[in-house]
């Protein structure tokens, strides 16, 4: 049987990270004590938001499907038309804009135990995201080539594929 609440969630995350061979995997004994290190939780959150934003912009491949086709026939230099069409359709449907991490989701806490505290935590988190956004934009203003991938106004709030 699954553990209740957040313990069940963290146990599932642990199983999945071990299966995927993530380096940020937590020690299973920490789950028994409810002492999962903050850096492990941060790594999970970063992976499903910012890292996914960084590597998941499949719409970029429209320019040259030879770069990202699902398969090539041995001896040929590019994908066949069917593979190109499959990649194009996948890119079109998985690159649809999704809600961004910096948006206000305080409505999610309505009626929850500790609603006011949860709303205050979310407001503080959004303030921190705004500071991150400012830093990203300031660094990009000094760059010849911008790197907007970690801007919280662009990072989606989930892997919503």
């Amino acid at each position: 049987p699954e553990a209740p609440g957040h313990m069940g969630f963290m146990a599932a995350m642990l199983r999945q990270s071990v299966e995927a061979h993530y380096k940020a995997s937590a020690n299973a004994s920490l789950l028994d004590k409810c002492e999962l290190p903050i850096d492990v939780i941060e790594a999970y959150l970063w992976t499903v938001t910012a890292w996914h934003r960084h590597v998941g912009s499949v719409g970029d491949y429209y320019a040259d499907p030879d770069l990202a086709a699902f398969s090539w026939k041995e001896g040929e230099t590019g994908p066949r038309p069917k593979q190109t069409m499959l990649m194009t359709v996948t890119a079109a449907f998985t690159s649809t804009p999704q809600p961004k991490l910096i948006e206000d989701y305080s409505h999610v806490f309505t009626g929850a135990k500790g609603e006011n505290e949860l709303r205050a935590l979310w407001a503080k988190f959004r303030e921190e995201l705004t500071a991150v956004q400012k830093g990203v934009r300031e660094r990009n203003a000094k760059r010849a080539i911008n790197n907007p991938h970690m801007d919280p106004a662009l990072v989606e709030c989930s892997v919503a594929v």
Side-chain angles (χ1 to χ4, degrees), residues 23 31 45 79 94 105:
K23 290 185 178 185
L31 291 174
L45 294 174
T94 61
Y105 299 103

Side-chain angles (χ1 to χ4, degrees), residues 12 16 34 37 57 74 94 98 112 119 123 141 157:
Q16 291 172 14
C34 193
S57 300
E74 190 172 336
T94 61
Q98 299 295 327
R119 286 178 183 269
C157 68

